[in-house]
Amino acid sequence: MALRTALEKGYGFESDVRDYNGKVVISHNIADSSCQDVEEVFEWLSRFNDKYCFAINIKADGLKDILKLFFEKYSISNYFLFDMSVPQMVEFKEMGLRYFTRQSEVEPEPCMYKDAAGVWIDGFWSTDWITEELVKSHIKNGKDVCIVSPDLHGNRYVDFWMKMKKWDVDDTRIFLCTDYPDEAKEFFYGE
């Protein structure tokens, strides 16, 4: 319901996918029969004319063929894959699938950066290291940037948003992943 509501409000979204019983399902934790079939989400994205981005957090290896099938079947190009294992990242690259590498306090050097479409920037404990200069450097290198808002880790986020709002960067190249999209829209754009 939350994913459908996001689309109806005009937002893209991030969700975890994994395999279960021969299907790919939406699930952060170990999947069970109550998990939503990801194909339904692709059907929705298609009905919304592929207008909203689906950030697909890969929680299991071996999903590349079925995901590629769904991208083609539903004409989906507004997506990116991330958080997969390095061997899967290599396979996604070889298949021409759009993937983001990641950067955090734990991963200061993004893996397979050259061929990545973008960078998923995630401050687990702090956002002090996430600077305008860092984001500009990625954009200068032709990368899109998705920043995880501190609220996703249960941390205060308004101060970080204030810092972001002062940045002189191409905001068409930046995504903000937050649990508060309405608040973010009002904060950054006054809408």
Side-chain angles (χ1 to χ4, degrees), residues 30-66:
I30 295 174
D32 61 30
S33 60
S34 69
C35 295
Q36 180 178 12
D37 189 328
V38 78
E39 186 167 10
E40 183 177 24
V41 175
F42 284 111
E43 288 172 357
W44 295 345
L45 290 164
S46 180
R47 282 192 222 135
F48 281 87
N49 299 314
D50 194 28
K51 186 174 180 182
Y52 306 111
C53 186
F54 184 9
I56 306 170
N57 187 325
I58 303 295
K59 292 293 186 187
D61 286 353
L63 305 180
K64 66 185 185 322
D65 293 326
I66 189 72

Side-chain angles (χ1 to χ4, degrees), residues 14-20 24-36 57-60:
E14 177 271 339
S15 196
D16 301 347
V17 301
R18 60 177 66 242
D19 56 319
Y20 177 75
V24 178
V25 297
I26 303 287
S27 182
H28 177 74
N29 297 316
I30 295 174
D32 61 30
S33 60
S34 69
C35 295
Q36 180 178 12
N57 187 325
I58 303 295
K59 292 293 186 187

Side-chain angles (χ1 to χ4, degrees), residues 127 130 147-148 150 157-165 167:
T127 55
I130 305 172
I147 299 172
V148 175
Y157 57 94
V158 174
D159 290 343
F160 179 70
W161 287 10
M162 295 280 287
K163 180 171 87 167
M164 279 183 67
K165 193 170 184 174
W167 292 349

